[in-house]
Amino acid sequence: MKKWSRFAAAAMAAVMTVTALTACGGKTEETTATAKEEAAEATTAAAKEEAEAESGEKKEIYVFIRDRGDLSYWDSMAEGGDRATKDYADRANVHVVETTVDLQANLQAMYEAADAGADLIITASDFKDNLVEVANEYPEIAFTIISEDVVSQCENGNTYGVDFATSQAAYLGGIVAADLAKNGTADMEPTGTIGFIGGMDESLVIQEFLWGYIQGAKAYDPNTKIVYNYVGAWNDPDTAKTQAMTQYNDAGADVIFACAGGSGNGVHNAAAEAGKFVIGVDSDQSLLYSDDKAIQEKFATSVIKQVGNAVYNVIGEFLDTGKLPYGEYEVLGLADEAVGIVEGDVINNLLSEEGKAALEAAKKGIIDGSVEVKSAIGKGQDEVKAFIDENCQ
């Protein structure tokens, strides 16, 4: 409808030009004829532009992920691309490309996409340096980086950044964990200790989760003890399981928040083995264990980051407007419905009345601004680590 309106407006402007010229006294027939020709040319140009827009070629959009199967971040990102592939099939060819953890393989694939005529390239934090390099060489291509702020390093004004205030969602997860550790459940005596297992140290994405988790737990019960480990890899469930069993059995953790990509699967298994609880990340990870109730029943909740929705929405905006908010680095939070936790019968049955009330108050407060959740985003490693060390065992 908007396209038709533009065409009609152009044609109407041309007609009005002819009418104005013929109505003015002293104009020669030659002038009038010239005006008519110009009006006809304008109308023809508008029609041509409209026809080209209607029958234009599909946009070529590439979503670069590490690989599928981590049951977490990359699967969520792939889901958004897959959804766009289906929903926008009439307007775009959306390619979800797995390049593994190999940075050189990713860089080569990104260059190949650019050379093949990509209109939009999307990737995430692991490949931020590659995106900057390619974006600086291809000013005509639009780029989006997820979960990392490198927009200022892109020299052509062709890059948009999207990140998530996951500290806000993790704050809610911290309340859940602290309530379990304080009040226990029918099958678990509380110890006052909770755990955290991250994929990689000095990964701001992971540290942002831990920051929020700490704040939520301490706000609910300042006496909550927090232990943490980093696996040192995103796909090493065996190491993660060993760390989790140590936290559960030796440190006495009642629940562990697993933020470790594919390594997190080891924590899920450890929770079932130890008879304790686990909190998933990025998506409702309990759904992954529909055929293994022993593990599924140990999920207290999952801290959700809507990476797939971000990818899907970026593609939709680009297709609708032909551009993105280039130069901006946008952080989406609870008020944007971009982050949160899984709620429902499971969490309602696990939490005490005190915990339920605290959770609702925190959600309301974060949204209206009365509860401030500090973010690790934009802070240096010295400050980030100092906060963690100050509050954890």
Side-chain angles (χ1 to χ4, degrees), residues 170-186:
Y171 186 101
L172 304 180
I175 291 175
V176 172
D179 182 67
L180 292 175
K182 179 181 180 181
N183 297 305
T185 67

Side-chain angles (χ1 to χ4, degrees), residues 47-381:
K48 182 179 180 181
E49 179 182 350
E50 178 66 14
E52 289 176 348
E54 293 293 347
S55 61
E57 295 181 357
K58 292 182 180 180
K59 296 295 185 183
E60 297 295 330
I61 298 172
Y62 290 81
V63 180
F64 288 99
I65 67 171
R66 193 181 66 202
D67 47 27
R68 297 176 188 262
D70 71 337
L71 313 179
S72 183
Y73 186 91
W74 296 108
D75 276 349
S76 179
M77 192 168 175
E79 182 279 327
D82 292 341
R83 193 164 14 123
T85 300
K86 179 180 178 181
D87 291 353
Y88 300 132
D90 60 330
R91 294 192 283 167
N93 295 316
V94 180
H95 314 271
V96 180
V97 183
E98 299 177 66
T99 61
T100 75
V101 72
D102 189 327
L103 294 177
Q104 190 58 41
N106 174 272
L107 182 61
Q108 181 178 341
M110 206 175 291
Y111 269 120
E112 289 174 355
D115 291 336
D119 295 292
L120 169 64
I121 290 176
I122 303 172
T123 195
S125 53
D126 284 25
F127 307 118
K128 61 183 185 296
D129 293 335
N130 291 350
L131 180 139
V132 171
E133 179 177 329
V134 180
N136 286 339
E137 291 194 31
Y138 291 84
E140 73 282 3
I141 298 175
F143 292 84
T144 295
I145 181 71
I146 307 289
S147 299
E148 194 73 44
D149 185 10
V150 293
V151 171
S152 62
Q153 299 175 37
C154 299
E155 302 167 353
N156 295 312
N158 57 345
T159 304
Y160 168 53
V162 181
D163 212 334
F164 305 87
T166 49
S167 57
Q168 295 179 358
Y171 186 101
L172 304 180
I175 291 175
V176 172
D179 182 67
L180 292 175
K182 179 181 180 181
N183 297 305
T185 67
D187 301 322
M188 185 186 73
E189 288 294 323
T191 67
T193 300
I194 63 176
F196 178 94
I197 292 181
M200 298 289 290
D201 191 7
E202 297 193 3
S203 168
L204 194 60
V205 175
I206 300 303
Q207 292 168 327
E208 173 77 350
F209 280 117
L210 181 51
W211 265 51
Y213 187 60
I214 290 169
Q215 292 172 77
K218 293 292 188 178
Y220 181 76
D221 181 2
N223 295 318
T224 302
K225 295 180 180 179
I226 305 171
V227 295
Y228 74 99
N229 291 102
Y230 295 108
V231 180
W234 299 112
N235 196 25
D236 185 358
D238 292 337
T239 296
K241 182 177 181 181
T242 298
Q243 292 176 337
M245 293 304 293
T246 299
Q247 289 190 12
Y248 284 132
N249 295 331
D250 297 343
D254 295 312
V255 57
I256 296 175
F257 182 17
C259 297
S263 297
N265 304 342
V267 185
H268 307 162
N269 280 272
E273 189 171 320
K276 302 291 187 73
F277 290 97
V278 65
I279 295 175
V281 71
D282 289 335
S283 61
D284 184 355
Q285 292 193 304
S286 71
L287 300 178
L288 304 169
Y289 299 98
S290 57
D291 295 331
D292 194 335
K293 297 299 182 182
I295 297 177
Q296 187 176 59
E297 291 171 357
K298 292 306 176 182
F299 275 86
T301 186
S302 289
V303 173
I304 296 176
K305 177 168 59 176
Q306 302 284 13
V307 182
N309 285 353
V311 170
Y312 182 85
N313 292 339
V314 164
I315 294 172
E317 181 174 357
F318 182 75
L319 293 175
D320 288 342
T321 67
K323 59 182 180 179
L324 294 169
Y326 303 120
E328 293 186 19
Y329 172 65
E330 189 171 12
V331 181
L332 306 176
L334 197 63
D336 305 297
E337 299 183 351
V339 300
I341 63 171
V342 174
E343 300 186 54
D345 291 342
V346 172
I347 198 170
N348 287 335
N349 291 333
L350 288 176
L351 292 183
S352 68
E353 292 304 315
E354 178 189 9
K356 293 175 187 177
L359 189 61
E360 290 305 312
K363 287 190 294 183
K364 181 178 182 298
I366 292 171
I367 291 172
D368 67 25
S370 61
V371 173
E372 179 186 4
V373 181
K374 295 179 181 179
S375 173
I377 295 174
K379 295 179 172 61
Q381 281 298 313

